[in-house]
Amino acid sequence: MSGHVVGLGEVGPLGELLGEGGQAKVYRAPAAALPDVPGPLVYKQYKAGHAPPHGLAAVVARRLRMDEPTRRRLDRTAAWPVRAVEEAGQVRGVLVPLIPDDYFEDRVKPSGARARTLREVQHLFIDPVRAARLGMPAPTAAERVLVCRDLASAVHLLHRNDLVIGDLNPKNAVFRLTDRPCVMLVDCDSIRIKGAAAVVRQLNAPDWEPPERVLSQASDRYKFGLFVLRCLSPGPFASIARDPSRLDAVLPGEGPRLLRDALGPTPERRPTAQEWGRYFDSVLTEAVAARRAAAPATSGGGTSGWRRDPKTRRWVPVT
């Protein structure tokens, strides 16, 4: 397979149905292979009337035009559409990398039933005690900060490549806690190139509406602020919280000001994802320095000032 677009016949026989939404079904594509995608692929098949009218090839091409290091970063950050799939000149679907296993949670429900679900970032907003009862992870404060830092890096990567996420919401990003806590963006065919129309109409999820009507990189920055607020203050009403004072006692230094600007009505004042990344780096560095000063001990290396405890597999500050 080569180029931006492949024929439906090149996808080959489809495997099991992995998921279904209002606009598409997702199948394994065991016979499909691409030289620029190191891993298995899935086929997202649009339902009748929901195929994107234009622009999908351009979104695919944006990835293919990136230099190799940037493309590798994108592949770690997002389940990006890697080929548009056409039949008789009409878009039928898109090939996408399979989301890695460590973004899924094998859990036991309160009923005792077992379930395997994507670890969507909406689970970060739940009270940790309730999350544990539901069989979902209850991340530590350190892990939550690292997730926020990683999402900032993902948003910055897309923004500096002239991309607009638009529909950033609690279900189109997933997280992992193994290795280094991080996030992956999914449903990326709704992302658009700055200055171009979206492939799939960009919408606002309930309780994620920005003050302005037109979605842009500025509205992405607003929604990132909502994510920070809700991720770092889990519990009752966190999923609909918009009051930045909720984090006044949690965010040190410039954090409260950054959050107020992010959730303010003036798009130009909202911090960039890069500014947020630098802020979280400083928070991590200062936390590590404080712990070292309080208890000067040694314990190996870490990632951005944090290490994974070999017994609990949880992330804690390096001391």
Coordinates of all heavy atoms in Angstrom, one line a residue, residues 233-304:
S233 N -8.7 17.8 40.2 CA -9.7 17.9 41.4 C -10.8 16.9 41.2 O -12.0 17.2 41.1 CB -10.2 19.3 41.4 OG -11.0 19.6 40.2
P234 N -10.4 15.6 41.2 CA -11.5 14.6 41.0 C -12.5 14.5 42.1 O -12.1 14.9 43.3 CB -10.7 13.3 40.9 CG -9.4 13.6 41.7 CD -9.1 15.0 41.5
G235 N -13.7 14.1 41.8 CA -14.7 14.0 42.9 C -16.0 14.5 42.4 O -16.3 14.7 41.2
P236 N -16.9 14.8 43.4 CA -18.2 15.3 43.0 C -18.2 16.5 42.1 O -17.4 17.5 42.4 CB -18.9 15.6 44.4 CG -18.1 14.8 45.3 CD -16.7 14.7 44.8
F237 N -18.9 16.5 41.0 CA -19.1 17.6 40.1 C -17.8 18.0 39.3 O -17.8 19.0 38.6 CB -19.6 18.9 40.8 CG -20.9 18.6 41.6 CD1 -20.8 18.7 43.0 CD2 -22.1 18.3 41.0 CE1 -21.9 18.4 43.8 CE2 -23.2 18.0 41.8 CZ -23.1 18.1 43.2
A238 N -16.8 17.1 39.4 CA -15.6 17.5 38.7 C -15.8 17.4 37.2 O -15.2 18.3 36.5 CB -14.4 16.5 39.1
S239 N -16.6 16.5 36.7 CA -16.8 16.4 35.3 C -17.5 17.6 34.6 O -17.5 17.7 33.4 CB -17.6 15.1 35.0 OG -18.9 15.2 35.5
I240 N -18.1 18.5 35.5 CA -18.8 19.7 34.9 C -18.2 21.0 35.5 O -18.6 22.1 35.2 CB -20.3 19.7 35.2 CG1 -20.6 19.6 36.7 CG2 -21.0 18.5 34.4 CD1 -22.1 19.8 37.0
A241 N -17.1 20.8 36.3 CA -16.5 22.0 36.9 C -15.9 23.0 35.9 O -15.3 22.6 34.9 CB -15.4 21.5 37.9
R242 N -16.1 24.3 36.2 CA -15.5 25.3 35.4 C -14.9 26.5 36.3 O -14.3 27.4 35.7 CB -16.6 26.0 34.5 CG -17.0 25.0 33.3 CD -18.0 25.7 32.4 NE -18.6 24.8 31.5 CZ -18.2 24.8 30.2 NH1 -17.3 25.6 29.7 NH2 -18.8 23.9 29.3
D243 N -15.0 26.3 37.6 CA -14.5 27.4 38.5 C -13.0 27.1 38.7 O -12.7 26.2 39.4 CB -15.3 27.4 39.7 CG -14.9 28.5 40.7 OD1 -14.0 29.2 40.4 OD2 -15.4 28.5 41.9
P244 N -12.2 28.0 38.3 CA -10.7 27.7 38.5 C -10.3 27.8 39.9 O -9.2 27.2 40.3 CB -10.0 28.8 37.6 CG -11.1 29.9 37.5 CD -12.4 29.2 37.4
S245 N -11.1 28.4 40.8 CA -10.7 28.5 42.2 C -10.7 27.1 42.8 O -10.1 27.0 43.9 CB -11.6 29.4 43.0 OG -12.9 28.9 43.0
R246 N -11.3 26.2 42.2 CA -11.3 24.8 42.7 C -9.8 24.3 42.9 O -9.6 23.4 43.7 CB -12.1 23.9 41.7 CG -12.4 22.5 42.1 CD -13.2 21.8 41.0 NE -13.4 20.4 41.3 CZ -14.5 19.8 41.8 NH1 -15.5 20.6 42.1 NH2 -14.6 18.5 42.0
L247 N -8.9 24.8 42.1 CA -7.5 24.4 42.1 C -6.6 25.4 42.8 O -5.4 25.2 42.8 CB -7.0 24.1 40.7 CG -7.5 22.8 40.1 CD1 -6.7 22.5 38.8 CD2 -7.3 21.6 41.0
D248 N -7.1 26.4 43.4 CA -6.2 27.4 44.0 C -5.3 26.8 45.1 O -4.2 27.2 45.2 CB -7.1 28.5 44.7 CG -7.6 29.5 43.7 OD1 -7.2 29.4 42.5 OD2 -8.4 30.4 44.1
A249 N -5.8 25.8 45.8 CA -4.9 25.2 46.9 C -4.1 24.0 46.3 O -3.4 23.4 47.1 CB -5.8 24.8 48.0
V250 N -4.3 23.7 45.0 CA -3.6 22.6 44.5 C -2.4 23.0 43.6 O -1.3 22.4 43.6 CB -4.6 21.7 43.7 CG1 -3.9 20.6 43.0 CG2 -5.7 21.2 44.6
L251 N -2.7 24.0 42.7 CA -1.6 24.4 41.8 C -0.7 25.5 42.4 O -1.2 26.5 42.9 CB -2.3 25.1 40.5 CG -3.1 24.1 39.6 CD1 -3.7 25.0 38.5 CD2 -2.2 23.0 39.1
P252 N 0.6 25.2 42.5 CA 1.5 26.2 43.0 C 1.9 27.3 42.0 O 1.6 27.1 40.8 CB 2.7 25.3 43.4 CG 2.7 24.2 42.4 CD 1.3 24.0 42.1
G253 N 2.6 28.3 42.5 CA 3.1 29.3 41.6 C 2.1 30.0 40.7 O 1.1 30.4 41.1
E254 N 2.5 29.9 39.4 CA 1.7 30.6 38.4 C 0.5 29.8 38.0 O -0.3 30.3 37.1 CB 2.6 30.8 37.1 CG 3.6 31.9 37.3 CD 2.9 33.3 37.4 OE1 2.4 33.8 36.3 OE2 2.9 33.8 38.5
G255 N 0.3 28.6 38.6 CA -0.8 27.8 38.1 C -2.2 28.4 38.2 O -2.9 28.3 37.2
P256 N -2.6 29.0 39.3 CA -3.9 29.6 39.4 C -4.1 30.7 38.3 O -5.2 30.8 37.7 CB -4.0 30.2 40.8 CG -3.1 29.3 41.6 CD -2.0 29.0 40.6
R257 N -3.1 31.5 38.0 CA -3.3 32.5 37.0 C -3.4 31.9 35.6 O -4.2 32.3 34.8 CB -2.1 33.5 37.0 CG -2.2 34.6 35.9 CD -0.9 35.3 35.7 NE 0.2 34.5 35.2 CZ 0.3 34.1 33.9 NH1 -0.7 34.4 33.0 NH2 1.3 33.3 33.5
L258 N -2.6 30.9 35.3 CA -2.7 30.2 34.0 C -4.1 29.6 33.8 O -4.6 29.7 32.7 CB -1.6 29.1 34.0 CG -0.2 29.5 33.8 CD1 0.7 28.3 33.9 CD2 0.1 30.2 32.5
L259 N -4.6 29.0 34.9 CA -5.9 28.4 34.7 C -7.0 29.4 34.5 O -7.9 29.2 33.7 CB -6.2 27.5 36.0 CG -7.4 26.6 35.9 CD1 -7.3 25.6 34.7 CD2 -7.6 25.8 37.2
R260 N -6.9 30.5 35.2 CA -7.9 31.6 35.1 C -7.9 32.1 33.6 O -8.9 32.4 33.0 CB -7.7 32.7 36.1 CG -8.3 32.3 37.5 CD -8.0 33.3 38.5 NE -8.8 33.1 39.7 CZ -8.5 32.1 40.6 NH1 -7.5 31.3 40.4 NH2 -9.3 31.9 41.7
D261 N -6.7 32.3 33.1 CA -6.6 32.8 31.8 C -7.1 31.8 30.8 O -7.7 32.1 29.8 CB -5.1 33.2 31.4 CG -4.6 34.5 32.1 OD1 -5.5 35.2 32.6 OD2 -3.4 34.7 32.1
A262 N -6.8 30.5 31.0 CA -7.2 29.4 30.1 C -8.7 29.4 30.0 O -9.3 29.1 29.0 CB -6.6 28.1 30.6
L263 N -9.4 29.6 31.2 CA -10.9 29.5 31.2 C -11.6 30.8 31.1 O -12.8 30.9 31.3 CB -11.3 28.8 32.5 CG -10.7 27.3 32.7 CD1 -11.2 26.7 34.0 CD2 -11.1 26.5 31.5
G264 N -10.8 31.8 30.7 CA -11.4 33.1 30.5 C -12.0 33.3 29.1 O -11.9 32.5 28.2
P265 N -12.8 34.4 28.9 CA -13.5 34.7 27.7 C -12.6 35.2 26.6 O -13.1 35.3 25.4 CB -14.5 35.7 28.1 CG -13.9 36.4 29.2 CD -13.0 35.5 30.0
T266 N -11.3 35.6 26.9 CA -10.5 36.2 25.9 C -9.5 35.2 25.3 O -8.6 34.8 26.0 CB -9.7 37.4 26.5 OG1 -10.5 38.3 27.2 CG2 -8.9 38.1 25.5
P267 N -9.8 34.7 24.1 CA -9.0 33.7 23.5 C -7.5 34.0 23.5 O -6.6 33.1 23.7 CB -9.5 33.5 22.1 CG -10.9 34.0 22.2 CD -10.9 35.1 23.2
E268 N -7.1 35.3 23.2 CA -5.7 35.6 23.1 C -4.9 35.5 24.4 O -3.7 35.4 24.4 CB -5.6 37.1 22.6 CG -6.1 37.3 21.2 CD -7.6 37.4 21.1 OE1 -8.3 37.6 22.2 OE2 -8.2 37.3 20.0
R269 N -5.6 35.5 25.5 CA -4.9 35.4 26.8 C -4.7 33.9 27.3 O -4.0 33.7 28.2 CB -5.7 36.2 27.9 CG -5.8 37.7 27.6 CD -6.3 38.4 28.8 NE -5.5 38.1 30.0 CZ -5.9 38.6 31.2 NH1 -7.0 39.4 31.4 NH2 -5.1 38.4 32.3
R270 N -5.3 33.0 26.6 CA -5.2 31.6 27.0 C -3.8 31.1 26.8 O -3.3 31.2 25.7 CB -6.3 30.8 26.3 CG -7.7 31.1 26.6 CD -8.7 30.4 25.8 NE -10.0 31.0 26.0 CZ -11.0 30.9 25.1 NH1 -10.8 30.2 24.0 NH2 -12.2 31.5 25.3
P271 N -3.2 30.4 27.8 CA -1.9 29.9 27.7 C -1.8 28.9 26.6 O -2.8 28.1 26.4 CB -1.6 29.3 29.1 CG -2.6 29.9 30.0 CD -3.8 30.2 29.2
T272 N -0.7 28.8 25.9 CA -0.5 27.8 24.9 C -0.2 26.5 25.7 O 0.2 26.4 26.8 CB 0.7 28.1 24.0 OG1 1.9 28.1 24.8 CG2 0.5 29.5 23.3
A273 N -0.3 25.4 24.9 CA 0.1 24.1 25.5 C 1.6 24.0 25.9 O 1.9 23.4 26.8 CB -0.2 23.0 24.5
Q274 N 2.4 24.7 25.1 CA 3.8 24.8 25.4 C 4.0 25.5 26.8 O 4.8 25.0 27.6 CB 4.6 25.5 24.3 CG 6.1 25.5 24.6 CD 6.8 26.2 23.4 OE1 6.4 27.2 22.9 NE2 7.9 25.6 23.0
E275 N 3.3 26.6 27.0 CA 3.4 27.3 28.3 C 3.0 26.3 29.5 O 3.6 26.3 30.5 CB 2.5 28.5 28.3 CG 3.1 29.6 27.5 CD 2.1 30.8 27.4 OE1 1.1 30.8 26.7 OE2 2.4 31.8 28.2
W276 N 1.9 25.6 29.3 CA 1.4 24.6 30.3 C 2.5 23.6 30.5 O 2.8 23.2 31.6 CB 0.1 24.0 29.9 CG -1.1 24.7 30.2 CD1 -2.0 25.3 29.4 CD2 -1.6 24.9 31.5 NE1 -3.0 25.9 30.1 CE2 -2.8 25.7 31.4 CE3 -1.2 24.6 32.8 CZ2 -3.6 26.0 32.5 CZ3 -2.0 24.9 33.9 CH2 -3.2 25.7 33.8
G277 N 3.1 23.1 29.4 CA 4.2 22.1 29.6 C 5.3 22.6 30.4 O 5.8 21.8 31.3
R278 N 5.8 23.8 30.2 CA 6.9 24.4 30.9 C 6.5 24.5 32.4 O 7.3 24.3 33.3 CB 7.3 25.7 30.3 CG 8.0 25.6 29.0 CD 8.2 26.9 28.3 NE 8.9 26.8 27.1 CZ 8.9 27.8 26.2 NH1 8.3 28.9 26.4 NH2 9.6 27.6 25.1
Y279 N 5.2 24.9 32.6 CA 4.7 25.1 34.0 C 4.8 23.7 34.7 O 5.3 23.6 35.8 CB 3.3 25.6 34.0 CG 2.7 25.5 35.4 CD1 3.1 26.4 36.4 CD2 1.7 24.6 35.7 CE1 2.5 26.3 37.7 CE2 1.2 24.5 36.9 CZ 1.6 25.3 37.9 OH 1.0 25.2 39.2
F280 N 4.2 22.7 34.1 CA 4.2 21.4 34.8 C 5.6 20.8 35.0 O 5.9 20.2 36.0 CB 3.4 20.4 34.0 CG 1.9 20.6 34.2 CD1 1.1 20.8 33.1 CD2 1.3 20.6 35.4 CE1 -0.3 21.0 33.2 CE2 0.0 20.8 35.6 CZ -0.9 21.0 34.5
D281 N 6.5 21.1 34.0 CA 7.9 20.7 34.2 C 8.5 21.4 35.5 O 9.2 20.8 36.3 CB 8.8 21.1 33.0 CG 8.7 20.2 31.9 OD1 8.2 19.0 32.1 OD2 9.0 20.5 30.7
S282 N 8.2 22.7 35.7 CA 8.7 23.4 36.9 C 8.0 22.8 38.2 O 8.7 22.7 39.2 CB 8.4 24.9 36.8 OG 7.0 25.2 36.9
V283 N 6.8 22.4 38.1 CA 6.1 21.9 39.3 C 6.8 20.5 39.6 O 7.0 20.3 40.8 CB 4.6 21.6 39.0 CG1 3.9 20.8 40.1 CG2 3.9 23.0 38.9
L284 N 7.0 19.7 38.6 CA 7.7 18.4 38.9 C 9.1 18.6 39.5 O 9.5 18.0 40.4 CB 7.8 17.6 37.6 CG 6.4 17.2 37.0 CD1 6.6 16.7 35.6 CD2 5.8 16.1 37.9
T285 N 9.8 19.5 38.9 CA 11.2 19.8 39.4 C 11.2 20.3 40.8 O 12.0 19.8 41.7 CB 11.9 20.8 38.5 OG1 11.9 20.3 37.1 CG2 13.3 21.1 38.9
E286 N 10.3 21.2 41.1 CA 10.2 21.8 42.5 C 9.8 20.8 43.5 O 10.3 20.7 44.6 CB 9.3 23.0 42.5 CG 9.9 24.2 41.8 CD 8.9 25.3 41.6 OE1 7.8 25.3 42.2 OE2 9.2 26.3 40.9
A287 N 8.9 19.9 43.1 CA 8.4 18.9 44.0 C 9.5 17.9 44.4 O 9.7 17.5 45.5 CB 7.2 18.1 43.4
V288 N 10.3 17.5 43.3 CA 11.4 16.6 43.6 C 12.5 17.3 44.5 O 13.0 16.7 45.4 CB 12.1 16.2 42.2 CG1 13.4 15.5 42.5 CG2 11.1 15.3 41.5
A289 N 12.8 18.6 44.2 CA 13.7 19.3 45.0 C 13.3 19.4 46.5 O 14.1 19.2 47.4 CB 14.0 20.7 44.4
A290 N 12.0 19.6 46.7 CA 11.5 19.7 48.1 C 11.6 18.4 48.8 O 12.0 18.4 50.0 CB 10.0 20.2 48.0
R291 N 11.3 17.3 48.1 CA 11.4 16.0 48.8 C 12.8 15.6 49.1 O 13.1 15.1 50.1 CB 10.7 15.0 47.9 CG 9.2 15.1 47.8 CD 8.6 14.0 47.0 NE 8.8 12.7 47.6 CZ 7.9 12.0 48.4 NH1 6.8 12.6 48.6 NH2 8.2 10.9 48.9
R292 N 13.7 16.0 48.2 CA 15.1 15.7 48.4 C 15.6 16.5 49.6 O 16.4 16.0 50.4 CB 16.0 16.0 47.2 CG 15.8 14.9 46.1 CD 16.6 15.3 44.9 NE 16.7 14.2 43.9 CZ 17.0 14.3 42.6 NH1 17.2 15.5 42.1 NH2 17.0 13.3 41.8
A293 N 15.2 17.8 49.7 CA 15.6 18.6 50.8 C 15.1 18.1 52.1 O 15.8 18.1 53.2 CB 15.2 20.0 50.6
A294 N 13.9 17.5 52.1 CA 13.3 17.0 53.3 C 13.8 15.7 53.7 O 13.9 15.4 54.9 CB 11.7 16.9 53.1
A295 N 14.2 14.9 52.8 CA 14.7 13.5 53.1 C 15.8 13.2 52.1 O 15.5 12.5 51.1 CB 13.6 12.5 53.0
P296 N 17.0 13.7 52.2 CA 18.1 13.5 51.3 C 18.5 12.0 51.2 O 19.2 11.5 52.0 CB 19.2 14.3 51.8 CG 19.0 14.5 53.2 CD 17.5 14.5 53.4
A297 N 17.9 11.3 50.2 CA 18.2 9.9 50.0 C 18.5 9.7 48.5 O 18.3 10.6 47.7 CB 17.1 9.0 50.4
T298 N 18.9 8.6 48.1 CA 19.2 8.3 46.7 C 18.4 7.1 46.3 O 18.1 6.2 47.1 CB 20.7 7.9 46.5 OG1 21.0 6.8 47.3 CG2 21.6 9.1 46.9
S299 N 17.9 7.2 45.1 CA 17.1 6.1 44.5 C 17.1 6.1 43.0 O 16.0 6.4 42.4 CB 15.7 6.1 45.1 OG 15.1 7.3 44.7
G300 N 18.1 5.9 42.4 CA 18.1 5.7 40.9 C 17.5 6.8 40.1 O 17.2 7.8 40.6
G301 N 17.4 6.6 38.8 CA 16.9 7.6 37.9 C 15.4 7.6 37.8 O 14.7 6.8 38.5
G302 N 14.9 8.5 37.0 CA 13.4 8.6 36.8 C 13.1 9.3 35.6 O 14.0 9.5 34.7
T303 N 11.8 9.6 35.4 CA 11.4 10.3 34.2 C 10.8 11.6 34.6 O 9.8 11.6 35.3 CB 10.3 9.4 33.5 OG1 10.8 8.1 33.2 CG2 9.9 10.1 32.2
S304 N 11.4 12.7 34.2 CA 11.0 14.0 34.6 C 10.9 14.2 36.1 O 10.0 14.8 36.6 CB 9.6 14.3 33.9 OG 9.7 14.4 32.5

